[in-house]
């Protein structure tokens, strides 16, 4: 309970900091004036520039974090995250392909299609008839699928006209540049529905965590339950990718970090903690990317990559100590 | 709702909140009635149409090279976009004198919309800036935004068309026309001085990180060669794509670079790498002593291809070209000798 309060306060503080800080420093008085009257520079900065961007970052971070925790619980492995397992790369690839082919479908749909396709590929490639697939096999196959998807994205980039390629390249890094209220609304609406859907499946996830045999003994259709959970996880990740690009490491970090902060035991609490932590990580990463260095504004993905890569290495070393790798 | 917000916020920004004393022309979106006016300036561009009520004075330069056009027209930008090179305020040597004592902000990486808003510009020049349509829409709420004309690729608006567009938006057309005439005169005089070079082939190439590439098609560097009277080698012309400005070459076959004159865009730091490029020895330009080496500043001048950088490059290149194209392979081209290319 105390942990949840801490996380909530951290999230609030990070959100306020993200709204208050930037390349341009505005006094709290001006910001307040903008907020309360809709006038002055505060209104432009809060209402048009930082507001939608911060809200989009919160939403995208939350869905990515929740997706990560969902897979980590499902596979009972902290390395199982949509960014490690190639789902976000798959979503990114289909978006690049759509740009190359001139398709004009909504981005979330394209991203979802790519994410699901990558997930299906992982399942198909790691499946062996009559054997249960160990989670680590799935993760490694996912890693491979992710690398293939990234390589194909790079290949498509060289085929695109230079103008489009530059735009697509920026998008692939993960960027929150020039987000507006429609992006924020989109990720919150889609994410809200999917989040509720995920939370509604927690009983089944809990049964699965007891082991497949026991879960089946409790009357659960194991295959269908796993499929529904994984599908929800992929769609959650795609909702984030659609507004922020395939930002690396947020989904991977959010779960373990959030669960530790909150000391959550129950599954739905763990998922919510991961969502809050994902939002925290992405908002702080974006704040650092756009405000840490005067005169320099980086794409958000660069900053989450900088934060996330050391975490991944530390995580791997822990896994090796435990003898799980 | 949006229009109201912008209207208020814009006035707020100008109302002294950030120490700005200049009054801008007002936001486009906030004032749709402007479109009906007689004396408005209209600009068709890649992302639609931009309308200005009056020539702009406070300008933010978001294009990677548009600071040159603005400075040439006598307008010191409030902020400049960093492209590359370690020069104060992103202004290269050929443009430094026009900067004077001014200290425009330098913007690196993605465009920080709030930095632009904080400068309260009345015009944002984003020709060749690579901003997305979403960024364009957001910036348009701060001030009118100029993009490259619709017929050109992002980084492919010719220098004179860009200069005229910016001049029209800032009320400096007379100056722009004089500048364009002066640059044209410079090239004409150059062609008159060297009638025997006319119609010879020339290529611009770069070698970086093991990859050799050639500049093609409508690229500023290629246009510069054409203004001097050279033409593209047929092999390069054949691989030029419609909107591409360069093409990567296979390390096994540099023959598309086979030309009467070969100009390497490089820097002192990359010279050794270029000198040790073995396949260079298979090129006719190498055998006949027709290679010219451009260090960072000269390569930058050719890459900017601006109203200011081209006369600078022309003056610097002429003695090199005389040594390269004298028909005597034994005459050392000073720049190539200094870089160790011979």
């Amino acid at each position: 309970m105390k942990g949840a309060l801490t996380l909530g306060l951290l999230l609030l503080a990070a959100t306020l900091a993200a709204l208050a800080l930037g390349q341009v420093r505005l006094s709290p008085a001006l910001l307040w004036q903008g907020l309360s009257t809709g006038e002055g520079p505060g209104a432009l900065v809060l209402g048009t520039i930082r507001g939608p961007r911060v809200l989009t970052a919160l939403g995208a971070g939350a869905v990515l974090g929740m997706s990560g925790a969902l897979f980590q619980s499902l596979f009972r492995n902290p390395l199982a995250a949509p960014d490690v397992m190639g789902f976000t790369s798959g979503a990114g690839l289909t978006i690049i392909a759509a740009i190359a082919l001139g398709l004009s479908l909504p981005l979330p749909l394209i991203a979802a299609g790519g994410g699901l396709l990558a997930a299906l590929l992982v399942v198909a490639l790691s499946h062996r008839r009559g054997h249960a697939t160990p989670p680590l096999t799935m993760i490694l196959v996912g890693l491979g699928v992710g690398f293939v998807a990234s390589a194909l994205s790079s290949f498509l980039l060289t085929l695109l006209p230079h103008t489009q390629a530059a735009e697509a390249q920026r998008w692939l890094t993960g960027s929150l540049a020039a987000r507006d209220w429609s992006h924020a609304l989109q990720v919150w609406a889609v994410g809200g529905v999917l989040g509720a859907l995920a939370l509604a499946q927690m009983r089944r996830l809990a049964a699965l965590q007891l082991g497949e045999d026991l879960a089946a003994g409790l009357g659960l259709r194991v295959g269908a339950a796993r499929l529904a959970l994984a599908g929800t996880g992929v769609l959650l990740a795609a909702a984030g990718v659609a507004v922020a690009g395939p930002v690396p490491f947020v989904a991977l970090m959010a779960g373990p970090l959030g669960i530790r902060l909150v000391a959550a035991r129950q599954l739905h609490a763990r998922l919510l903690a991961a969502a809050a932590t994902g939002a925290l990580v992405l908002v702080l990463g974006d704040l650092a990317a756009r405000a840490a260095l005067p005169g320099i504004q980086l794409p958000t993905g660069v900053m989450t990559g900088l934060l996330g890569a050391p975490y991944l290495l530390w995580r791997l070393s822990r896994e090796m100590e435990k003898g799980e790798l | 709702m949006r229009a109201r917000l912008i209207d208020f916020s814009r006035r707020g920004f100008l109302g002294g909140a950030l120490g700005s004393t200049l009054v801008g022309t007002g936001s486009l979106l906030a004032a749709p009635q402007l479109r009906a006016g007689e004396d408005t300036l209209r600009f068709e561009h890649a992302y639609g149409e931009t309308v200005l009520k009056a020539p702009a004075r406070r300008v933010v330069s978001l294009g990677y090279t548009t600071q040159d056009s603005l400075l040439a027209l006598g307008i010191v930008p409030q902020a400049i976009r960093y492209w590359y090179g370690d020069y104060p305020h992103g202004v290269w040597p050929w443009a430094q004198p026009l900067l004077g004592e001014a200290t425009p902000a330098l913007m690196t990486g993605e465009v920080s919309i709030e930095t632009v808003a904080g400068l309260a510009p009345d015009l944002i020049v984003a020709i060749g800036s690579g901003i997305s349509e979403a960024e364009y829409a957001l910036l348009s709420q701060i001030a009118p935004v100029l993009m490259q004309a619709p017929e050109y690729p992002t980084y492919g608006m010719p220098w004179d068309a860009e200069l005229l567009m910016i001049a029209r938006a800032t009320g400096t057309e007379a100056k722009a026309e004089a500048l364009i005439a002066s640059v044209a005169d410079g090239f004409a005089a150059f062609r008159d001085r060297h009638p025997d070079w006319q119609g010879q082939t020339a290529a611009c190439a770069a070698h970086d990180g093991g990859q050799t590439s050639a500049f093609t098609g409508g690229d500023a560097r290629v246009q510069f060669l054409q203004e001097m009277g050279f033409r593209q080698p047929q092999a390069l012309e054949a691989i030029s794509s419609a909107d591409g400005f360069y093409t990567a070459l296979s390390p096994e076959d540099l023959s598309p670079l086979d030309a009467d004159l070969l100009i390497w865009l490089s820097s002192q730091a990359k010279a050794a790498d270029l000198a040790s490029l073995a396949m260079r020895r298979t090129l006719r330009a190498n055998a006949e002593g027709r290679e010219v080496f451009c260090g960072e500043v000269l390569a930058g001048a050719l890459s900017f291809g601006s109203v200011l950088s081209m006369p600078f490059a022309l003056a610097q290149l002429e003695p090199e070209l005389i040594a390269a194209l004298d028909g005597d392979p034994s005459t050392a081209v000073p720049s190539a000798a200094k870089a160790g290319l011979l």
Side-chain angles (χ1 to χ4, degrees):
Chain A
M1 196 57 225
K2 205 175 132 213
L5 197 67
T6 313
L7 182 55
L9 287 177
L10 275 176
L11 193 56
L12 187 69
T15 306
L16 289 178
L19 288 171
L21 302 175
Q23 292 282 342
V24 172
R25 297 288 142 102
L26 289 182
S27 69
L30 275 175
L31 289 172
W32 176 249
Q33 186 206 0
L35 197 65
S36 52
T37 63
E39 285 186 47
L44 177 66
V45 164
L46 290 180
T48 312
I49 302 174
R50 287 183 204 158
R53 182 171 182 143
V54 169
L55 203 63
T56 307
L58 284 170
V63 291
L64 285 170
M66 191 180 260
S67 169
L70 200 61
F71 282 111
Q72 284 158 346
S73 305
L74 191 60
F75 290 121
R76 280 179 286 172
N77 188 310
L79 290 176
D83 38 6
V84 177
M85 296 182 69
F87 307 153
T88 51
S89 311
L93 171 62
T94 42
I95 291 183
I96 301 294
I99 294 174
L101 296 172
L103 286 181
S104 57
L105 286 169
L107 281 191
L109 280 185
I110 298 172
L116 287 173
L117 214 65
L120 280 178
L121 209 61
V122 171
V123 171
L125 287 175
S126 56
H127 180 75
R128 279 171 63 205
R129 189 179 279 276
H131 290 272
T133 314
L136 199 57
T137 307
M138 290 262 243
I139 292 166
L140 291 176
V141 169
L143 210 59
V145 168
F147 284 134
V148 172
S150 300
L152 283 174
S153 293
S154 304
F155 176 67
L156 276 182
L157 278 185
T158 64
L159 297 184
L160 282 178
H162 288 283
T163 311
Q164 282 180 28
E167 170 77 18
Q169 177 67 59
R170 256 184 83 190
W171 193 88
L172 270 184
T173 317
S175 174
L176 285 163
R179 300 295 94 171
D180 61 29
W181 290 111
S182 71
H183 294 110
L185 187 70
Q186 175 192 313
V187 71
W188 278 94
V190 177
V193 172
L194 289 170
L197 209 63
L199 289 174
Q201 298 176 68
M202 283 308 101
R203 197 177 292 242
R204 278 187 259 173
L205 181 56
L208 280 175
Q209 287 201 312
L210 297 172
E212 294 202 352
D213 294 342
L214 200 50
L218 287 170
L220 189 71
R221 287 168 56 207
V222 171
R226 290 185 75 127
L227 218 60
L229 279 161
T232 313
V234 169
L235 291 179
L236 275 168
V241 171
V243 293
V247 276
F249 294 118
V250 175
L252 174 73
M253 279 189 283
L257 215 65
I259 290 160
R260 186 149 315 164
L261 270 173
V262 175
R265 285 164 186 277
Q266 284 186 308
L267 274 173
H268 66 265
R270 296 169 78 121
L271 232 56
L272 288 173
T277 310
L280 180 70
V281 168
L282 195 53
V283 161
L284 286 180
D286 184 48
L287 177 61
R290 66 186 160 83
L293 305 165
I296 300 179
Q297 176 149 336
L298 298 166
T300 312
V302 172
M303 214 34 103
T304 63
L306 275 179
L307 294 170
Y311 175 80
L312 178 63
L313 291 176
W314 176 75
R315 194 75 243 175
L316 285 170
S317 74
R318 287 288 303 266
E319 291 289 296
M320 278 188 261
E321 275 169 30
K322 282 196 289 176
E324 289 187 12
L325 272 182
Chain B
M1 175 61 209
R2 169 164 284 189
R4 190 177 63 91
L5 172 84
I6 296 145
D7 191 27
F8 282 138
S9 50
R10 176 148 174 80
R11 243 185 280 146
F13 251 119
L14 295 169
L18 288 148
S20 160
T21 50
L22 287 162
V23 176
T25 54
S27 162
L28 252 189
L29 291 171
Q33 70 275 12
L34 286 185
R35 288 173 175 272
E38 289 280 307
D39 51 349
T40 55
L41 298 159
R42 286 157 185 277
F43 300 89
E44 294 283 340
H45 55 68
Y47 290 153
E49 191 187 36
T50 291
V51 184
L52 254 81
K53 194 165 90 177
R57 284 270 138 250
R58 254 180 100 77
V59 184
V60 164
S61 172
L62 292 186
Y64 288 106
T65 60
T66 41
Q67 67 269 39
D68 276 13
S69 294
L70 284 161
L71 286 168
L73 294 171
I75 295 159
V76 176
Q78 303 297 312
I80 287 173
R81 187 87 177 277
Y82 177 79
W83 184 19
Y84 76 105
D86 191 15
Y87 303 98
H89 310 291
V91 176
W92 285 58
W94 53 83
Q96 272 295 343
L98 291 167
L99 186 62
E101 300 298 305
T103 56
L106 190 60
M107 303 176 63
T108 304
E110 294 192 325
V111 174
S112 166
I113 311 257
E114 56 189 70
T115 302
V116 177
L119 293 166
D122 48 25
L123 178 70
I124 298 166
V125 175
I127 299 166
S129 65
I131 60 167
S132 68
E133 205 154 358
E135 284 169 308
Y136 167 78
L138 205 48
L139 287 166
S140 294
Q141 299 180 31
I142 295 163
V145 181
L146 280 191
M147 300 298 301
Q148 61 279 354
E151 62 267 38
Y152 304 117
T154 306
Y155 304 111
M157 189 161 181
W159 67 276
D160 46 351
E162 173 193 304
L163 190 71
L164 280 173
M165 191 189 230
I166 296 175
R168 211 154 66 76
T170 52
T172 50
E173 287 111 314
K175 193 155 190 182
E177 274 156 24
L179 283 165
I180 290 170
S182 136
V183 172
D185 288 349
F187 279 121
F190 180 93
R191 289 192 298 266
D192 288 344
R193 284 198 295 278
H194 306 290
D196 48 328
W197 296 355
Q198 305 308 304
Q200 294 204 34
T201 57
C204 261
H207 182 71
D208 196 5
Q211 175 69 59
T212 312
S213 40
F215 296 96
T216 60
D219 180 69
R221 284 149 279 220
V222 176
Q223 285 182 357
F224 182 86
L225 293 176
Q226 286 165 349
E227 290 287 356
M228 291 194 293
F230 297 100
R231 57 189 177 80
Q232 255 198 312
Q234 218 120 57
L236 263 186
E237 215 166 321
I239 48 179
S240 296
S241 63
D243 79 325
F245 53 90
Y246 77 97
T247 183
L249 297 172
S250 160
E252 296 175 5
D253 179 18
L254 300 186
S255 67
L257 294 180
D258 221 11
D260 297 320
L261 172 69
L262 178 53
I263 298 181
W264 289 104
L265 269 56
S266 189
S267 67
Q268 221 49 55
K270 292 185 219 154
D273 199 16
L274 177 60
S276 62
L277 173 65
M279 286 301 285
R280 206 166 48 82
R281 303 286 171 199
T282 65
L283 296 173
R284 189 164 50 93
N286 179 265
E288 295 176 8
R290 292 160 169 266
E291 282 177 302
V292 171
F293 177 88
C294 300
E296 180 171 272
V297 176
L298 186 49
L302 288 170
S303 301
F304 266 70
S306 75
V307 61
L308 298 177
S309 76
M310 284 192 305
F312 173 90
L314 198 62
Q316 299 245 319
L317 269 177
E318 193 165 0
E320 302 285 335
L321 264 50
I322 290 171
L325 297 173
D326 65 349
D328 178 3
S330 65
T331 322
V333 177
S335 62
K338 194 164 159 247
L341 295 195
L342 301 183

